Amino acid sequence: MFNKKKKPIQTVARKLVTYDSPKSVVSEQFRTVRTNINFSMPDKDLKTLLFTSSTPGEGKSTSASNVAIVFAEEGKKVLLVDADMRKPTMHYTFHKTNSTGLSNLLTRKWELKDVVIETEIEGLHIVTSGPIPPNPAELLGSKTMDSLIEEFIAGYDIVVFDAPPLLSVADAQILSNKCDGTILVISSGTAEKDSVIKAKEALVSSKANILGTLLNNFVLEKEHHYYQYYGTGE
């Protein structure tokens, strides 16, 4: 008999700093992002918001989750959807199962009430990716996805989508065309300029409404005025 190798412990959960350390400088920065998003479309209600990046590992999932939390803190009813059906992480971040989710809704196997998950954060619900399908792009581009977005909007003040990186697959381009606004997350010090430019061009070609960029992993010096004003936080 052979001994089975132990599986490595999953470590892809993202830190919810806005929930764990609400008074920190980083949490305050996410609230600033929320304010900027609110100001970005003064003449129209922003109901659907997409987060993506040029390449993997730039922090789009972390940013999407924390921005969803600060919108919930504002008193809004928020739905956070893991639209990365190729490499989902949201269920790890919120310590939930991923047995059902977005892919089940898009294949009409389940209804929204069956897959939506309430979190311990007041006002925030999530829909995990569900089982990984063979054709994510086709599912996201379907009329069923259009109907699903309408259903999301009917039940929530704002819907935040976490989409795959732009230069890897077409999923984010497809979904950005369906959303009111798109945020491009850029990792400070690691993102390549050419990749970011190509990502922006991909969003423009899909006629996405680019609200702006979010600089992630930027190291703030201790002498910065934010530290002097807010302190080190929690």
Side-chain angles (χ1 to χ4, degrees):
M1 181 178 290
F2 296 94
N3 293 326
K4 292 183 177 179
K5 291 183 178 179
K6 292 183 178 180
K7 293 182 178 180
I9 298 173
Q10 182 56 256
T11 58
V12 295
R14 270 58 177 173
K15 186 176 182 181
L16 301 177
V17 63
T18 49
Y19 179 70
D20 297 328
S21 303
K23 295 181 180 179
S24 66
V25 173
V26 176
S27 295
E28 195 60 37
Q29 290 301 294
F30 276 112
R31 294 188 190 97
T32 301
V33 171
R34 178 190 65 194
T35 301
N36 290 338
I37 291 171
N38 285 332
F39 284 155
S40 64
M41 297 177 63
D43 298 327
K44 181 182 176 182
D45 285 340
L46 189 148
K47 303 289 289 187
T48 51
L49 181 63
L50 178 80
F51 280 80
T52 185
S53 58
S54 59
T55 56
E58 295 197 58
K60 63 175 183 56
S61 299
T62 304
S63 301
S65 297
N66 282 288
V67 169
I69 290 172
V70 295
F71 269 117
E73 288 177 347
E74 197 181 40
K76 290 186 175 179
K77 190 176 180 183
V78 182
L79 181 64
L80 177 62
V81 181
D82 193 345
D84 191 341
M85 292 186 285
R86 300 173 191 268
K87 192 177 180 182
T89 60
M90 190 183 300
H91 54 293
Y92 296 123
T93 301
F94 287 88
H95 307 291
K96 306 295 183 183
T97 63
N98 193 32
S99 55
T100 58
L102 180 62
S103 60
N104 300 102
L105 295 174
L106 290 172
T107 52
R108 302 180 183 183
K109 302 293 184 185
W110 296 74
E111 296 182 4
L112 180 57
K113 62 181 177 58
D114 299 320
V115 305
V116 70
I117 301 172
E118 187 174 351
T119 72
E120 57 190 12
I121 300 162
E122 185 177 357
L124 177 64
H125 292 176
I126 65 171
V127 171
T128 61
S129 74
I132 296 176
N135 55 343
E138 286 76 9
L139 290 176
L140 292 173
S142 67
K143 291 182 179 178
T144 302
M145 185 67 204
D146 295 338
S147 301
L148 196 55
I149 290 176
E150 292 300 320
E151 187 178 357
F152 289 162
I153 292 173
Y156 293 88
D157 296 320
I158 186 167
V159 184
V160 178
F161 291 96
D162 174 19
L166 280 157
L167 301 187
S168 303
V169 290
D171 302 17
Q173 272 185 277
I174 294 169
L175 200 51
S176 67
N177 180 260
K178 300 176 184 291
C179 290
D180 296 330
T182 296
I183 300 290
L184 181 61
V185 178
I186 301 172
S187 180
S188 175
T190 59
E192 296 182 0
K193 182 178 178 180
D194 289 346
S195 296
V196 175
I197 292 173
K198 288 179 181 177
K200 181 194 173 186
E201 291 173 349
L203 289 173
V204 171
S205 67
S206 63
K207 298 181 180 178
N209 179 24
I210 305 173
L211 299 182
T213 59
L214 191 157
L215 189 63
N216 193 36
N217 296 322
F218 181 76
V219 179
L220 203 62
E221 296 179 355
K222 290 289 184 182
E223 291 75 18
H224 195 277
H225 64 83
Y226 256 106
Y227 275 105
Q228 297 170 12
Y229 188 80
Y230 289 105
T232 54
E234 297 178 355

